[in-house]
Amino acid sequence: MSKTFYVTTPIYYVNDVPHIGHAYTTVAADVIARFRRLVGDRVFFLTGTDEHGQKIERVALASGEKPIELADRVVLRFKGLWEKLNIQNDDFIRTTEERHKKAVLELFRRVNSRGDIYLGEYEDWYCVFDETFWTETQLGGSRTCPDCGRPVERLKEESYFFRLSKYEKPLLEFYENNPDFVQPSFRKNEVVSFVRGGLRDLSISRTSFSWGIPIPDKPKHVIYVWFDALTNYITAAGFPEDTGRLEEIWPADIHLVGKDILRFHAVYWPAFLISAGLTPPRKVFAHGWWTVEGEKMSKSKGNVVDPYAVVDEFGADALRYFLLREVPFGLDGDFSRSALIGRINGDLANGLGNLVSRSLGLIEKYFQGKIPSPSSLEPIDARIQEKALVTSEQVEEAMNEVAFHKALGAIWDFIAFVNKYVDESAPWALGKSGNKERLGSVLWTLVESIRVIAILIYPFMPKSAETIWNKIGFPEPIESQSFTKAKEWGVVKSGWLIEKGAGLFPRLDDK
Ligand code: MSP
């Protein structure tokens, strides 16, 4: 039996409600999961929340709640958003769950039994906000956190350490043997030079706060946030239960992360796993960050984009499309209202929506809504068929490279090509002149193209794909289709009833 395809998002902190950056990774993971299902893989898609740590303890305290009350409240905002965005995750993990506590303590025990954990004392500059220690040389001007710019504080405490330094060589070997482990490739160089620069042992427990998983017999110590958080990926895969589930799911095929947390996933995480005798994940893909209207998104600027509001105004599919089309996955991008509206009007309304409505409108007008038969095909129709096949292959290749923008680019090239075909074959003129045979063949070719497009856009825009599917009267649900169907031609049958119905994407006023 082939291995289940396992895709993850980071688990999100519950000290704040979700923003557009969180939606980004989760949508990307959902698109990968839907695509793999379409290709025929068994898929396990995990997302969840990171609920322990000092930051969460502090925010809870400030709002007069217990940390778990804060987590219980905020987790609903995440779950609600995933529903609104039509995210089909197979599991949702919270680090406060019992199954996770068990997994973390077992990982700790295994790593410890390898002699990789010792008790020491930790002192360094600490950024409370990022929960990260920094060395003197890493600090920004006037002793600030190099990541967030906030002042750091000197912190010294008894701590358990993980012998990360011991894993310098094994990690470099691992990168060497798995050249595609870190993606995009320019990020790989960053990771390798970080490890080559020398690894310090890593503090993995804290005594300065108590909101975390306590170490047995050392109740002053709770497990430090990254050892706790990263373990989520194996918890949900069944670790440490011996049921065969872990073997079926692990290693993860791809961890999607933001560029800021790449180091934790590409250095610490494989080191923990190698130490515990487990296999590291197959791939870590680091995406870029969104600015908003050209500025860094921040609470103090008040420009944090609320994905709930965007979905309410523009719809889930428009947001899903925009996020993955606008920027090559891996690079930074800018989220702006006018760019979003531009995509909706240009690509969705004028491109896709227009193709569907004029094709189906003509079938209603000239064939009483019944798909006509392709009795008079010409070379120009064969060109559409060829282009459909090439497009499907391009999409498949792009998806294997995690290049969403390329996949969408190829699909929209095809849409433009088919729209041009409509103009060139002038079905209105054929209708007026009574050339029903040729008109029928053109319209049949259009419905067939629309069928292929619906399958290709399904991972990205599942609701729109389903709506189109229903409009063309396809008897089985779109979920039951496989990707190979996009490479076939001649699937729609004459005589099926179509329904033009309402427009897919109303044009918007950019005000
Ligand atoms: N809890 C940790 C992850 C643990 S994974 C074992 C965490 N959580 S987070 O909620 O702060 O961030 C989650 C993700 O959001 C990160 O991948 C981060 O890169 C991403 N983003 C935060 N702001 C972002 C943008 N402005 N743009 C794109 N992604 C952004 O880190």
Side-chain angles (χ1 to χ4, degrees), residues 75-156:
V75 75
L76 297 177
R77 296 287 294 176
F78 280 95
K79 288 186 167 172
L81 179 62
W82 305 151
E83 235 169 77
K84 222 173 155 67
L85 279 167
N86 297 311
I87 304 297
Q88 272 183 347
N89 52 302
D90 298 289
D91 196 354
F92 188 102
I93 188 158
R94 302 180 57 182
T95 53
T96 47
E97 288 171 65
E98 206 48 43
R99 60 173 172 160
H100 182 64
K101 186 173 155 196
K102 251 169 116 179
V104 170
L105 293 180
E106 177 58 18
L107 187 70
F108 187 89
R109 196 193 62 74
R110 287 196 197 179
V111 171
N112 192 25
S113 74
R114 290 285 289 259
D116 285 346
I117 289 177
Y118 63 90
L119 189 61
E121 203 173 51
Y122 194 81
E123 180 175 8
D124 220 333
W125 298 104
Y126 188 69
C127 170
V128 174
F129 185 82
D130 288 321
E131 295 184 280
T132 310
F133 273 100
W134 301 101
T135 57
E136 185 79 38
T137 53
Q138 289 173 311
L139 294 182
S142 55
R143 297 235 159 94
T144 51
C145 170
D147 256 6
C148 71
R150 293 176 172 79
V152 291
E153 51 194 69
R154 198 73 188 158
L155 207 72
K156 181 174 178 175

Coordinates of all heavy atoms in Angstrom, one line a residue, residues 75-156:
V75 N -9.4 29.4 19.7 CA -9.3 28.3 18.8 C -10.6 28.3 17.9 O -10.5 27.9 16.7 CB -9.1 27.0 19.5 CG1 -10.4 26.5 20.2 CG2 -8.6 25.9 18.6
L76 N -11.7 28.8 18.4 CA -12.9 28.8 17.7 C -12.8 29.8 16.5 O -13.4 29.5 15.4 CB -14.1 29.2 18.5 CG -14.4 28.2 19.7 CD1 -15.6 28.7 20.6 CD2 -14.8 26.8 19.1
R77 N -12.0 30.8 16.7 CA -11.8 31.8 15.6 C -11.1 31.1 14.4 O -11.3 31.4 13.2 CB -11.1 33.0 16.0 CG -11.8 33.8 17.1 CD -12.9 34.6 16.5 NE -12.5 35.6 15.6 CZ -13.3 36.4 14.9 NH1 -14.6 36.2 15.0 NH2 -12.8 37.3 14.0
F78 N -10.1 30.3 14.8 CA -9.4 29.6 13.7 C -10.3 28.5 13.0 O -10.4 28.5 11.8 CB -8.1 28.9 14.3 CG -7.0 29.9 14.5 CD1 -6.8 30.5 15.7 CD2 -6.1 30.2 13.4 CE1 -5.7 31.5 15.9 CE2 -5.1 31.1 13.6 CZ -4.9 31.8 14.8
K79 N -10.9 27.7 13.9 CA -11.8 26.7 13.3 C -12.9 27.3 12.4 O -13.2 26.8 11.3 CB -12.4 25.8 14.4 CG -11.4 24.9 15.0 CD -12.0 23.9 16.0 CE -11.0 22.9 16.5 NZ -11.6 22.0 17.5
G80 N -13.4 28.4 12.9 CA -14.5 29.0 12.1 C -14.0 29.5 10.8 O -14.7 29.4 9.8
L81 N -12.8 30.1 10.8 CA -12.2 30.6 9.6 C -12.0 29.5 8.6 O -12.2 29.7 7.4 CB -11.0 31.4 9.9 CG -10.3 32.0 8.6 CD1 -11.1 33.0 7.9 CD2 -8.9 32.6 9.0
W82 N -11.5 28.4 9.1 CA -11.2 27.3 8.1 C -12.5 26.8 7.5 O -12.5 26.4 6.3 CB -10.4 26.2 8.8 CG -9.1 26.6 9.5 CD1 -8.5 26.0 10.6 CD2 -8.3 27.7 9.1 NE1 -7.4 26.7 10.9 CE2 -7.2 27.7 10.0 CE3 -8.3 28.7 8.1 CZ2 -6.2 28.7 10.0 CZ3 -7.3 29.7 8.0 CH2 -6.3 29.7 9.0
E83 N -13.6 26.8 8.3 CA -14.8 26.4 7.7 C -15.2 27.4 6.6 O -15.7 27.0 5.5 CB -15.9 26.4 8.7 CG -16.6 25.1 8.8 CD -17.5 25.0 10.1 OE1 -18.5 25.6 10.1 OE2 -17.0 24.3 11.1
K84 N -15.1 28.7 6.9 CA -15.5 29.7 6.0 C -14.7 29.7 4.7 O -15.2 30.0 3.6 CB -15.2 31.1 6.7 CG -16.3 32.1 6.5 CD -16.0 33.3 7.4 CE -16.6 34.5 6.9 NZ -18.1 34.6 6.9
L85 N -13.4 29.2 4.8 CA -12.6 29.2 3.6 C -12.6 27.8 2.9 O -11.8 27.5 2.1 CB -11.1 29.5 4.0 CG -10.8 31.0 4.2 CD1 -9.5 31.2 4.9 CD2 -10.7 31.7 2.8
N86 N -13.5 27.0 3.4 CA -13.7 25.6 2.8 C -12.4 24.8 2.9 O -12.0 24.1 1.9 CB -14.1 25.7 1.4 CG -15.5 26.3 1.2 OD1 -16.4 25.9 2.0 ND2 -15.6 27.3 0.4
I87 N -11.8 24.8 4.1 CA -10.6 24.1 4.3 C -11.0 22.7 4.7 O -11.8 22.5 5.6 CB -9.7 24.7 5.4 CG1 -9.4 26.2 5.1 CG2 -8.5 23.9 5.7 CD1 -8.5 26.4 3.9
Q88 N -10.5 21.7 4.0 CA -10.8 20.3 4.3 C -9.7 19.6 5.1 O -9.1 18.6 4.5 CB -11.1 19.5 3.0 CG -12.5 19.6 2.6 CD -12.8 18.7 1.3 OE1 -11.9 18.3 0.7 NE2 -14.0 18.5 1.0
N89 N -9.4 20.0 6.3 CA -8.3 19.3 7.1 C -8.9 18.0 7.6 O -10.1 18.0 8.0 CB -7.8 20.3 8.1 CG -8.9 20.9 9.0 OD1 -9.7 21.5 8.5 ND2 -8.8 20.6 10.3
D90 N -8.0 17.1 7.8 CA -8.4 15.8 8.3 C -8.3 15.7 9.8 O -8.9 14.8 10.4 CB -7.5 14.7 7.7 CG -7.7 14.6 6.2 OD1 -8.8 14.2 5.7 OD2 -6.8 15.0 5.5
D91 N -7.5 16.6 10.4 CA -7.4 16.6 11.9 C -7.1 18.0 12.2 O -6.6 18.8 11.4 CB -6.2 15.6 12.3 CG -6.3 15.3 13.8 OD1 -7.1 15.8 14.5 OD2 -5.4 14.4 14.2
F92 N -7.4 18.3 13.5 CA -7.0 19.6 14.0 C -6.4 19.4 15.4 O -7.1 18.8 16.3 CB -8.3 20.5 14.2 CG -8.0 21.9 14.6 CD1 -8.1 22.9 13.6 CD2 -7.7 22.3 15.9 CE1 -7.8 24.3 14.0 CE2 -7.4 23.6 16.2 CZ -7.4 24.6 15.3
I93 N -5.2 19.7 15.5 CA -4.5 19.4 16.8 C -4.3 20.7 17.7 O -4.1 21.8 17.2 CB -3.1 18.8 16.6 CG1 -2.6 18.3 17.9 CG2 -2.1 19.7 15.9 CD1 -1.5 17.3 17.8
R94 N -4.6 20.5 19.0 CA -4.3 21.5 20.0 C -3.3 21.0 20.9 O -3.4 19.9 21.3 CB -5.6 21.9 20.7 CG -6.8 22.3 19.9 CD -8.0 22.6 20.7 NE -7.7 23.6 21.7 CZ -8.6 24.0 22.6 NH1 -9.9 23.5 22.6 NH2 -8.3 25.0 23.5
T95 N -2.3 21.8 21.2 CA -1.1 21.3 22.0 C -1.5 21.0 23.4 O -0.7 20.5 24.2 CB 0.1 22.2 21.9 OG1 -0.3 23.5 22.2 CG2 0.7 22.2 20.5
T96 N -2.7 21.5 23.8 CA -3.2 21.2 25.2 C -3.9 19.9 25.3 O -4.3 19.6 26.4 CB -4.1 22.4 25.7 OG1 -5.1 22.6 24.7 CG2 -3.3 23.6 26.0
E97 N -4.0 19.2 24.2 CA -4.7 17.9 24.3 C -3.8 16.8 25.0 O -2.6 16.9 24.8 CB -5.0 17.4 22.9 CG -6.2 18.2 22.2 CD -6.3 17.8 20.7 OE1 -6.7 16.6 20.5 OE2 -6.1 18.6 19.9
E98 N -4.5 15.9 25.6 CA -3.8 14.8 26.3 C -2.9 14.0 25.3 O -1.7 13.6 25.7 CB -4.8 13.9 26.9 CG -4.4 13.1 28.1 CD -3.6 13.9 29.2 OE1 -4.0 15.0 29.5 OE2 -2.6 13.4 29.6
R99 N -3.3 13.7 24.1 CA -2.5 12.9 23.2 C -1.2 13.6 22.9 O -0.2 12.9 22.6 CB -3.3 12.6 21.9 CG -3.7 13.9 21.1 CD -4.3 13.6 19.7 NE -4.9 14.8 19.1 CZ -5.1 14.9 17.8 NH1 -4.9 13.9 17.0 NH2 -5.6 16.1 17.4
H100 N -1.3 14.9 22.9 CA 0.0 15.7 22.6 C 0.9 15.6 23.7 O 2.2 15.5 23.5 CB -0.4 17.1 22.2 CG 0.8 17.9 21.8 ND1 1.6 17.6 20.7 CD2 1.4 19.0 22.4 CE1 2.6 18.4 20.6 NE2 2.5 19.3 21.6
K101 N 0.4 15.8 24.9 CA 1.3 15.7 26.1 C 2.0 14.4 26.2 O 3.2 14.4 26.4 CB 0.3 15.9 27.3 CG 1.1 16.0 28.6 CD 0.1 16.4 29.8 CE 0.7 15.9 31.1 NZ -0.3 15.8 32.1
K102 N 1.3 13.4 25.9 CA 1.9 12.0 25.9 C 3.0 11.9 24.9 O 4.1 11.4 25.1 CB 0.8 11.0 25.5 CG 0.4 10.1 26.6 CD -0.8 9.3 26.1 CE -0.7 7.8 26.0 NZ -2.0 7.2 25.5
A103 N 2.8 12.5 23.7 CA 3.8 12.4 22.6 C 5.0 13.2 23.0 O 6.2 12.8 22.8 CB 3.2 12.9 21.3
V104 N 4.8 14.4 23.5 CA 6.0 15.3 23.8 C 6.8 14.6 24.9 O 8.1 14.6 24.8 CB 5.5 16.7 24.3 CG1 6.6 17.5 24.9 CG2 4.8 17.4 23.2
L105 N 6.2 14.0 25.9 CA 7.0 13.4 27.0 C 7.7 12.2 26.5 O 8.8 11.9 26.9 CB 6.1 13.1 28.2 CG 5.5 14.4 28.9 CD1 4.7 14.0 30.1 CD2 6.7 15.3 29.3
E106 N 7.1 11.5 25.6 CA 7.7 10.3 25.0 C 8.9 10.7 24.2 O 10.0 10.1 24.2 CB 6.7 9.4 24.3 CG 7.3 8.2 23.6 CD 8.0 7.2 24.5 OE1 7.8 7.3 25.8 OE2 8.8 6.4 24.0
L107 N 8.8 11.7 23.4 CA 9.9 12.2 22.6 C 11.0 12.7 23.5 O 12.2 12.3 23.2 CB 9.4 13.4 21.6 CG 10.5 13.8 20.6 CD1 10.7 12.7 19.5 CD2 10.1 15.1 20.0
F108 N 10.7 13.4 24.5 CA 11.7 13.9 25.5 C 12.4 12.6 26.1 O 13.6 12.6 26.2 CB 10.9 14.7 26.6 CG 11.9 15.3 27.6 CD1 12.3 16.6 27.4 CD2 12.2 14.7 28.8 CE1 13.2 17.2 28.3 CE2 13.1 15.3 29.7 CZ 13.6 16.6 29.4
R109 N 11.6 11.6 26.5 CA 12.2 10.4 27.1 C 13.2 9.8 26.1 O 14.3 9.4 26.5 CB 11.1 9.5 27.5 CG 11.5 8.4 28.5 CD 10.5 7.3 28.6 NE 10.3 6.6 27.3 CZ 11.1 5.7 26.8 NH1 12.2 5.4 27.4 NH2 10.8 5.1 25.7
R110 N 12.8 9.6 24.9 CA 13.7 9.0 23.9 C 14.9 9.7 23.6 O 16.0 9.2 23.6 CB 12.9 8.7 22.6 CG 11.9 7.7 22.7 CD 11.5 7.2 21.3 NE 10.2 6.4 21.5 CZ 9.5 5.9 20.5 NH1 10.0 6.0 19.3 NH2 8.4 5.3 20.7
V111 N 14.8 11.0 23.5 CA 16.0 11.9 23.2 C 16.9 11.8 24.4 O 18.1 11.8 24.3 CB 15.5 13.3 22.9 CG1 16.7 14.3 22.8 CG2 14.7 13.3 21.5
N112 N 16.3 11.9 25.6 CA 17.0 11.8 26.9 C 17.8 10.5 27.0 O 19.0 10.4 27.3 CB 16.1 11.9 28.0 CG 16.8 12.2 29.3 OD1 17.9 12.7 29.3 ND2 16.2 11.8 30.4
S113 N 17.1 9.4 26.6 CA 17.8 8.1 26.7 C 18.9 7.9 25.7 O 19.8 7.0 25.8 CB 16.7 6.9 26.5 OG 16.4 6.9 25.1
R114 N 19.0 8.8 24.7 CA 20.1 8.8 23.8 C 21.3 9.6 24.3 O 22.3 9.8 23.7 CB 19.7 9.4 22.4 CG 18.8 8.5 21.7 CD 19.6 7.3 21.1 NE 20.4 7.8 20.0 CZ 20.1 7.6 18.7 NH1 19.0 7.1 18.3 NH2 20.9 8.1 17.8
G115 N 21.1 10.2 25.5 CA 22.1 11.0 26.1 C 22.1 12.4 25.6 O 23.1 13.1 25.7
D116 N 21.0 12.8 24.9 CA 21.0 14.1 24.2 C 20.4 15.3 25.1 O 20.2 16.4 24.5 CB 20.3 14.0 22.9 CG 21.2 13.3 21.9 OD1 22.4 13.1 22.1 OD2 20.7 12.8 20.8
I117 N 20.1 15.0 26.3 CA 19.5 16.1 27.2 C 20.3 16.2 28.5 O 20.7 15.1 29.0 CB 18.0 15.8 27.4 CG1 17.2 15.9 26.2 CG2 17.5 16.7 28.5 CD1 15.7 15.6 26.3
Y118 N 20.6 17.4 28.8 CA 21.3 17.6 30.1 C 20.8 18.8 30.8 O 20.3 19.7 30.2 CB 22.9 17.6 29.9 CG 23.3 18.8 29.1 CD1 23.7 20.0 29.6 CD2 23.4 18.7 27.7 CE1 24.1 21.1 28.9 CE2 23.8 19.7 26.9 CZ 24.2 20.9 27.5 OH 24.6 22.0 26.7
L119 N 21.1 18.9 32.1 CA 20.6 20.0 32.9 C 21.7 21.1 32.9 O 22.9 20.7 33.2 CB 20.2 19.6 34.3 CG 19.5 20.6 35.2 CD1 18.2 21.1 34.6 CD2 19.3 20.1 36.6
G120 N 21.4 22.3 32.6 CA 22.4 23.3 32.7 C 21.8 24.7 33.1 O 20.7 24.7 33.6
E121 N 22.5 25.7 32.8 CA 22.0 27.0 33.1 C 22.1 27.9 31.9 O 23.1 27.9 31.2 CB 22.8 27.7 34.2 CG 22.0 28.7 35.0 CD 22.7 29.2 36.2 OE1 23.9 29.6 36.0 OE2 22.1 29.2 37.3
Y122 N 21.0 28.5 31.6 CA 20.9 29.3 30.4 C 20.9 30.8 30.7 O 20.1 31.2 31.6 CB 19.7 28.9 29.6 CG 19.7 29.4 28.2 CD1 20.4 28.8 27.3 CD2 19.1 30.7 27.9 CE1 20.5 29.2 26.0 CE2 19.3 31.2 26.6 CZ 20.0 30.4 25.7 OH 20.1 30.9 24.4
E123 N 21.7 31.5 30.0 CA 21.6 33.0 30.2 C 21.9 33.6 28.8 O 22.8 33.3 28.1 CB 22.7 33.5 31.2 CG 22.6 35.0 31.3 CD 23.5 35.6 32.3 OE1 24.3 34.9 32.9 OE2 23.3 36.8 32.5
D124 N 21.0 34.5 28.5 CA 21.1 35.2 27.2 C 20.1 36.3 27.1 O 19.3 36.5 28.0 CB 21.0 34.3 26.0 CG 22.1 34.6 25.0 OD1 22.5 35.8 24.9 OD2 22.5 33.7 24.2
W125 N 20.1 37.0 26.0 CA 19.1 38.0 25.7 C 17.9 37.3 25.2 O 17.9 36.5 24.4 CB 19.6 39.0 24.7 CG 20.8 39.7 25.2 CD1 22.1 39.5 24.9 CD2 20.8 40.8 26.2 NE1 23.0 40.4 25.5 CE2 22.2 41.2 26.4 CE3 19.9 41.4 26.9 CZ2 22.6 42.2 27.3 CZ3 20.2 42.4 27.8 CH2 21.6 42.8 28.0
Y126 N 16.7 37.8 25.8 CA 15.5 37.0 25.5 C 14.4 38.0 25.0 O 14.2 39.1 25.6 CB 15.0 36.4 26.8 CG 13.8 35.4 26.6 CD1 14.0 34.2 25.9 CD2 12.6 35.7 27.1 CE1 12.9 33.4 25.7 CE2 11.5 34.9 26.9 CZ 11.7 33.7 26.2 OH 10.6 32.9 26.0
C127 N 13.8 37.6 23.9 CA 12.6 38.4 23.4 C 11.4 37.7 23.9 O 11.1 36.6 23.4 CB 12.7 38.6 21.9 SG 11.1 39.3 21.3
V128 N 10.6 38.3 24.7 CA 9.4 37.7 25.3 C 8.4 37.5 24.1 O 7.8 36.4 24.0 CB 8.8 38.5 26.4 CG1 7.5 37.9 26.8 CG2 9.8 38.7 27.5
F129 N 8.3 38.5 23.3 CA 7.3 38.4 22.2 C 7.6 37.2 21.3 O 6.7 36.4 21.0 CB 7.3 39.7 21.4 CG 6.2 39.7 20.4 CD1 4.9 40.1 20.8 CD2 6.5 39.4 19.1 CE1 3.9 40.1 19.8 CE2 5.4 39.4 18.1 CZ 4.2 39.7 18.5
D130 N 8.8 37.0 20.9 CA 9.1 35.9 20.0 C 9.5 34.6 20.7 O 9.8 33.6 20.0 CB 10.2 36.3 19.0 CG 9.7 37.3 18.0 OD1 8.6 37.2 17.5 OD2 10.5 38.3 17.6
E131 N 9.6 34.7 22.0 CA 10.0 33.6 22.8 C 11.3 33.0 22.3 O 11.4 31.8 22.1 CB 8.9 32.5 22.8 CG 7.6 33.0 23.5 CD 6.5 32.0 23.7 OE1 5.8 31.8 22.7 OE2 6.4 31.4 24.8
T132 N 12.2 33.9 22.0 CA 13.5 33.4 21.5 C 14.6 34.1 22.2 O 14.6 35.3 22.5 CB 13.6 33.9 20.0 OG1 12.4 33.5 19.3 CG2 14.7 33.3 19.3
F133 N 15.6 33.3 22.5 CA 16.9 33.8 23.0 C 17.8 34.3 21.9 O 17.8 33.6 20.8 CB 17.6 32.7 23.8 CG 17.2 32.6 25.3 CD1 16.3 31.7 25.6 CD2 17.7 33.5 26.2 CE1 15.9 31.5 27.0 CE2 17.3 33.4 27.5 CZ 16.4 32.4 27.9
W134 N 18.5 35.4 22.1 CA 19.4 35.9 21.1 C 20.8 36.1 21.7 O 20.9 36.5 22.8 CB 18.9 37.2 20.5 CG 17.6 37.1 19.8 CD1 16.4 37.5 20.4 CD2 17.3 36.6 18.5 NE1 15.4 37.3 19.5 CE2 15.9 36.7 18.4 CE3 18.0 36.1 17.5 CZ2 15.2 36.3 17.2 CZ3 17.4 35.7 16.3 CH2 16.0 35.8 16.2
T135 N 21.8 35.9 20.9 CA 23.2 36.2 21.4 C 23.4 37.7 21.1 O 22.7 38.3 20.3 CB 24.2 35.4 20.6 OG1 24.1 35.7 19.2 CG2 24.0 33.9 20.7
E136 N 24.4 38.2 21.9 CA 24.8 39.6 21.8 C 24.9 40.1 20.4 O 24.4 41.1 20.0 CB 26.1 39.8 22.6 CG 26.5 41.2 22.7 CD 25.8 42.0 23.8 OE1 25.5 41.4 24.9 OE2 25.5 43.2 23.6
T137 N 25.6 39.2 19.6 CA 25.9 39.6 18.2 C 24.7 39.7 17.3 O 24.7 40.3 16.2 CB 27.0 38.7 17.5 OG1 26.5 37.4 17.7 CG2 28.3 38.8 18.2
Q138 N 23.7 38.9 17.7 CA 22.5 38.9 16.8 C 21.6 40.1 17.0 O 20.7 40.4 16.2 CB 21.7 37.6 17.1 CG 22.3 36.4 16.6 CD 21.6 35.1 17.0 OE1 21.3 35.0 18.2 NE2 21.3 34.2 16.1
L139 N 21.7 40.8 18.2 CA 20.8 41.8 18.6 C 20.8 43.0 17.6 O 21.8 43.3 17.0 CB 21.1 42.4 20.0 CG 20.9 41.4 21.1 CD1 21.2 42.1 22.4 CD2 19.5 40.8 21.1
G140 N 19.7 43.7 17.5 CA 19.6 44.9 16.7 C 20.1 46.1 17.6 O 20.5 45.9 18.7
G141 N 20.1 47.3 17.0 CA 20.6 48.5 17.7 C 19.9 48.7 19.0 O 18.7 48.3 19.1
S142 N 20.6 49.3 20.0 CA 20.1 49.5 21.4 C 19.4 48.3 21.9 O 18.3 48.4 22.5 CB 19.3 50.8 21.5 OG 18.2 50.8 20.6
R143 N 20.0 47.1 21.8 CA 19.6 45.9 22.4 C 18.1 45.5 22.1 O 17.3 45.4 23.0 CB 19.8 45.9 23.9 CG 21.3 46.0 24.3 CD 21.7 44.9 25.2 NE 23.1 44.7 25.3 CZ 23.9 45.3 26.2 NH1 23.5 46.0 27.1 NH2 25.2 45.0 26.1
T144 N 17.8 45.4 20.8 CA 16.5 45.0 20.5 C 16.5 43.7 19.7 O 17.5 43.2 19.2 CB 15.8 46.1 19.6 OG1 16.7 46.3 18.5 CG2 15.5 47.3 20.3
C145 N 15.3 43.1 19.7 CA 15.1 41.8 19.0 C 15.3 41.9 17.5 O 14.7 42.8 16.9 CB 13.7 41.2 19.3 SG 13.3 39.8 18.3
P146 N 16.2 41.2 16.9 CA 16.4 41.3 15.5 C 15.2 41.0 14.6 O 15.1 41.4 13.4 CB 17.6 40.4 15.2 CG 17.6 39.4 16.3 CD 17.0 40.1 17.5
D147 N 14.3 40.3 15.2 CA 13.1 39.9 14.4 C 12.0 40.9 14.5 O 11.4 41.4 13.5 CB 12.5 38.6 15.0 CG 12.8 37.4 14.0 OD1 13.5 37.6 13.1 OD2 12.3 36.3 14.3
C148 N 11.6 41.3 15.8 CA 10.5 42.2 15.9 C 10.8 43.6 16.4 O 10.0 44.5 16.4 CB 9.4 41.6 16.9 SG 10.0 41.6 18.6
G149 N 12.1 43.8 16.7 CA 12.5 45.2 17.1 C 12.2 45.6 18.5 O 12.5 46.7 18.9
R150 N 11.5 44.7 19.3 CA 11.2 45.0 20.7 C 12.5 44.9 21.5 O 13.4 44.1 21.2 CB 10.1 44.1 21.2 CG 8.8 44.3 20.5 CD 7.8 43.3 21.0 NE 6.4 43.6 20.5 CZ 6.0 43.3 19.3 NH1 6.8 42.7 18.4 NH2 4.8 43.6 18.9
P151 N 12.5 45.6 22.7 CA 13.6 45.5 23.6 C 13.7 44.1 24.1 O 12.7 43.4 24.4 CB 13.3 46.5 24.7 CG 12.2 47.3 24.3 CD 11.5 46.6 23.2
V152 N 15.0 43.6 24.3 CA 15.1 42.2 24.9 C 15.5 42.4 26.3 O 15.9 43.4 26.8 CB 16.2 41.5 24.1 CG1 15.8 41.1 22.7 CG2 17.5 42.3 24.1
E153 N 15.4 41.3 27.1 CA 15.8 41.3 28.5 C 16.8 40.2 28.8 O 16.8 39.2 28.1 CB 14.6 41.2 29.4 CG 13.6 40.1 29.1 CD 12.3 40.3 29.8 OE1 11.5 41.2 29.4 OE2 12.0 39.5 30.7
R154 N 17.7 40.4 29.8 CA 18.7 39.4 30.1 C 17.9 38.4 31.0 O 17.2 38.7 31.9 CB 19.7 40.1 31.0 CG 21.0 39.4 31.1 CD 21.8 39.4 29.8 NE 23.0 38.5 29.9 CZ 23.6 38.0 28.8 NH1 23.2 38.2 27.6 NH2 24.6 37.2 29.0
L155 N 18.1 37.1 30.6 CA 17.4 36.1 31.4 C 18.4 34.9 31.7 O 19.2 34.5 30.8 CB 16.3 35.6 30.5 CG 15.1 35.0 31.3 CD1 14.3 36.1 32.0 CD2 14.2 34.2 30.3
K156 N 18.3 34.5 32.9 CA 19.2 33.4 33.3 C 18.3 32.4 34.1 O 17.6 32.8 35.0 CB 20.3 33.9 34.2 CG 21.3 32.9 34.7 CD 22.4 33.7 35.5 CE 23.4 32.7 36.1 NZ 24.5 33.5 36.7

